[in-house]
Amino acid sequence: MTANVSETPRAPLPESAERAGRAQLPGKTLRTDRWWLQPTLTVAGLAVFVIYAGVRAFMGAYYWVPAYHYLTPFYSPCTTASCAPGSQHLGAWFGEFPAWLPYGIIALPFLLVFRLTCYYYRKAYYRSVWFSPPACAVAEPRAKYTGETRFPLIVQNVHRYFFYVAALLALLNTYDAIMAFHSPSGFGFGLGNLILLLNVVMLWAYTLSCHSCRHATGGRLRHFSRHPVRYWMWTQVSKLNTRHMQFAWITIGTLILADLYVMLVSAGAFPDPRFVG
Amino acid sequence: MAYDARFKVWRGDAESGQLCDFTVEVNEGEVVLDIIHRLQATQAPDLAVRWNCKAGKCGSCSAEINGHPRLLCMTRMSTFAEDETITVTPMRTFPVIRDLVTDVSFNYEKAREVPAFTPPQDVAAGEYRMAQVDVQRSQEFRKCIECFLCQDTCHVVRDHEDNKRSFAGPRFLMRVAELEMHPLDAADRVPAAQEEHGLGYCNITKCCTEVCPEGIHITDNALIPMKERVADRKYDPVVWLGNKLFRRDKR
């Protein structure tokens, strides 16, 4: 058995840490696992979604399949006179939009901020984009940190309002999915309906598993025993809430899948396989 | 099957220190604390390590193993490859006393800043009655063994010594949540959570939850519910209006 002092290079510590009498440990972290993998995958996943959603939102085409009434969630509600006939489920509130303005402009900002202020996504981008911290027990690169105590990050507290709007938009997506059971001869049912339904179910799972929803249904109470119905609701939302992260990623996938499917069928890349009609 | 493992153990004090290399025998079923004890017995009799129960219940042997905040007694040697060099260091966030022993008095100072359970004035001691369903949320937080690994890993104080003044850390924000959710606690803890204990510093990156040896869902069940209660009070005019109009109990 042997014992000797290693020659590990020592990184300079922040002055404040040295003052505090901490152990002078080398490097930003001593973790030996691939701690960088998760933030890297998160950035890649978020980037794919942001780029895809951005391109599609501004495309202004291939969002509606008139024969089957398939409407992509990125264009719902379509409320401008520029929208294809039949796709305006809530009517045409506005005149013609210029080409640079997304037809889904009414809903998209709310959905964007709902996800931006979501407790899961906050964790994801604080870690992987802002490196605050990049991973547990890995030092962050900045000298100062104030977190969500001041502007702009204190604005994250508005999450609940965007949850309310997101719940309304999930209702609208549900209506869109029901209206899509259509064919030129009346009722119809195809592969596209399954994809749109899957997307709606997952959107509800993500929306209802939200921490603000959990708080509103019963989390804010101190006496569950006095509110048995709200306690039951809180219990159900809590079960969903444990999978909020999974639903956040699954809905990114189902949103892209639903939109891509509608785009390809709308563009005539392939016909929608029909089970009825 | 016994084998010789390579260890790097930090040795030193507040003035200086370094990682020291050791080669030490490992036997089947052992944990890292067993190896540290073998080091003390065979090679480094003056190696300082704090420990007590060896069962993951006293919270004494907190340290960092390969950079991960862990309990020495709950980290099995079988989780490492036999050819892996295992690094054992003291917790980074607290001042080191010697070798693997740190001064965790920061945590006791923060504990004293949280006012104790405040019973309602109209209920005498011995007459407290609570439904199980009302206390079960708080009971999860009572599993805490005060190992302070969550405090150690939280980047708010780990990377920013200056924030120690204004941030209580996840363990004591959880304590505030425990009391705030308690059906008989009469104190109003929400404003203090934000203004005195620094809840706003938490950016819910969940490292406290990841390192908790008791598996307490600190972020989802304590910190985020407290953030929502603060939002009720400070950032939600609808809740404020509802409280005023219907004269309802804020809690």
Side-chain angles (χ1 to χ4, degrees):
Chain A
M1 295 185 181
T2 57
N4 66 287
V5 175
S6 73
E7 296 182 356
T8 312
R10 190 186 305 167
L13 274 176
E15 192 186 352
S16 59
E18 281 186 335
R19 266 207 311 269
R22 299 185 187 195
Q24 294 174 32
L25 299 170
K28 288 169 59 178
T29 182
L30 290 171
R31 283 182 63 168
T32 52
D33 59 332
R34 291 183 295 174
W35 58 263
W36 44 267
L37 184 61
Q38 192 173 1
T40 307
L41 292 176
T42 303
V43 160
L46 294 178
V48 165
F49 182 64
V50 169
I51 292 168
Y52 180 88
V55 169
R56 281 293 288 146
F58 287 95
M59 190 179 277
Y62 308 126
Y63 56 89
W64 170 247
V65 180
Y68 310 130
H69 288 189
Y70 292 163
L71 177 65
T72 167
F74 290 163
Y75 284 72
S76 177
C78 212
T79 52
T80 156
S82 307
C83 296
S87 66
Q88 302 142 317
H89 289 164
L90 297 184
W93 302 350
F94 307 104
E96 295 281 340
F97 269 13
W100 51 266
L101 198 57
Y103 296 172
I105 191 74
I106 290 294
L108 289 177
F110 290 99
L111 293 176
L112 178 69
V113 179
F114 177 53
R115 291 196 180 236
L116 212 57
T117 57
C118 159
Y119 285 99
Y120 167 67
Y121 283 108
R122 272 147 78 176
K123 172 202 167 190
Y125 64 74
Y126 282 144
R127 278 200 192 189
S128 55
V129 178
W130 199 242
F131 299 144
S132 182
C136 300
V138 178
E140 59 182 301
R142 290 169 202 82
K144 292 292 289 181
Y145 172 86
T146 54
E148 297 178 350
T149 58
R150 59 180 66 173
F151 186 82
L153 294 182
I154 200 168
V155 178
Q156 303 278 25
N157 288 300
V158 301
H159 182 55
R160 57 184 57 192
Y161 293 109
F162 292 87
F163 157 70
Y164 300 140
V165 178
L168 291 176
L169 291 171
L171 269 178
L172 183 63
N173 290 141
T174 310
Y175 176 77
D176 294 341
I178 293 169
M179 295 304 287
F181 284 95
H182 178 85
S183 76
S185 58
F187 178 79
F189 174 33
L191 179 60
N193 292 101
L194 290 181
I195 292 172
L196 290 175
L197 270 182
L198 172 71
N199 179 52
V200 161
V201 169
M202 288 298 119
L203 283 179
W204 273 117
Y206 171 66
T207 308
L208 294 178
S209 65
C210 161
H211 291 83
S212 289
C213 177
R214 189 182 183 217
H215 177 75
T217 50
R220 69 191 301 273
L221 299 173
R222 201 177 250 200
H223 295 90
F224 283 147
S225 56
R226 294 179 193 165
H227 306 270
V229 175
R230 291 184 69 182
Y231 173 60
W232 181 86
M233 289 164 61
W234 178 82
T235 307
Q236 304 310 313
V237 171
S238 295
K239 288 177 190 166
L240 284 175
N241 180 260
T242 58
R243 303 188 186 282
H244 195 51
M245 177 186 80
Q246 285 92 325
F247 291 135
W249 284 107
I250 289 170
T251 48
I252 280 185
T254 59
L255 279 167
I256 291 178
L257 174 68
D259 180 77
L260 190 63
Y261 189 86
V262 171
M263 180 174 74
L264 292 174
V265 172
S266 172
F270 57 81
D272 180 44
R274 306 297 291 175
F275 309 125
V276 177
Chain B
M1 187 72 79
Y3 68 97
D4 284 343
R6 291 194 305 278
F7 269 72
K8 283 181 185 291
V9 180
W10 193 87
R11 303 210 58 191
D13 54 27
E15 299 303 316
S16 64
Q18 60 272 308
L19 289 168
C20 298
D21 290 332
F22 296 95
T23 302
V24 58
E25 183 183 310
V26 174
N27 297 305
E28 190 172 348
E30 288 185 327
V31 295
V32 173
L33 184 58
D34 292 321
I35 310 308
I36 297 297
H37 282 162
R38 183 162 297 126
L39 275 179
Q40 282 182 324
T42 59
Q43 302 179 54
D46 59 341
L47 175 65
V49 59
R50 185 185 284 131
W51 68 283
N52 193 355
C53 75
K54 278 191 80 175
K57 288 296 168 195
C58 74
S60 300
C61 63
S62 301
E64 300 191 7
I65 303 168
N66 284 351
H68 287 277
R70 305 286 303 262
L71 292 180
L72 295 174
C73 73
M74 296 302 285
T75 307
R76 289 185 170 277
M77 286 303 298
S78 58
T79 58
F80 304 105
E82 291 188 6
D83 59 352
E84 190 174 349
T85 300
I86 299 161
T87 306
V88 185
T89 53
M91 290 190 282
R92 251 183 216 254
T93 303
F94 309 119
V96 68
I97 296 173
R98 189 174 147 187
D99 300 340
L100 300 179
V101 178
T102 50
D103 175 2
V104 293
S105 54
F106 160 76
N107 300 290
Y108 303 125
E109 289 160 18
K110 290 296 171 185
R112 280 193 288 272
E113 290 173 9
V114 180
F117 171 70
T118 310
Q121 289 188 334
D122 55 344
V123 183
E127 293 179 358
Y128 300 163
R129 298 292 180 271
M130 294 167 278
Q132 172 61 29
V133 75
D134 290 335
V135 288
Q136 64 191 13
R137 273 187 300 180
S138 294
Q139 284 177 335
E140 180 192 8
F141 311 140
R142 302 288 295 182
K143 291 195 299 180
C144 176
I145 59 173
E146 300 215 317
C147 61
F148 305 128
L149 288 175
C150 58
Q151 305 283 86
D152 174 48
T153 200
C154 181
H155 69 110
V156 177
V157 286
R158 183 183 178 92
D159 297 337
H160 306 280
E161 181 72 21
D162 298 344
N163 287 341
K164 280 185 176 173
R165 281 190 292 273
S166 41
F167 184 61
R171 194 277 167 263
F172 298 103
L173 288 168
M174 183 173 77
R175 170 72 176 150
V176 173
E178 176 194 329
L179 293 166
E180 172 59 25
M181 292 175 187
H182 195 290
L184 281 181
D185 187 73
D188 181 7
R189 302 181 183 268
V190 173
Q194 184 81 346
E195 287 150 23
E196 293 170 30
H197 305 302
L199 181 62
Y201 283 90
C202 169
N203 66 347
I204 41 125
T205 41
K206 286 198 174 183
C207 289
C208 51
T209 303
E210 282 186 24
V211 301
C212 178
E214 282 293 313
I216 303 171
H217 294 93
I218 302 171
T219 317
D220 284 322
N221 291 349
L223 304 184
I224 293 176
M226 282 310 294
K227 276 181 172 268
E228 286 293 311
R229 283 166 193 240
V230 168
D232 273 350
R233 201 72 67 84
K234 293 191 63 153
Y235 309 112
D236 192 333
V238 178
V239 172
W240 176 83
L241 194 63
N243 288 339
K244 288 286 178 197
L245 288 178
F246 303 111
R247 297 178 176 220
R248 63 189 180 196
D249 182 356
K250 297 183 189 103
R251 293 162 286 154

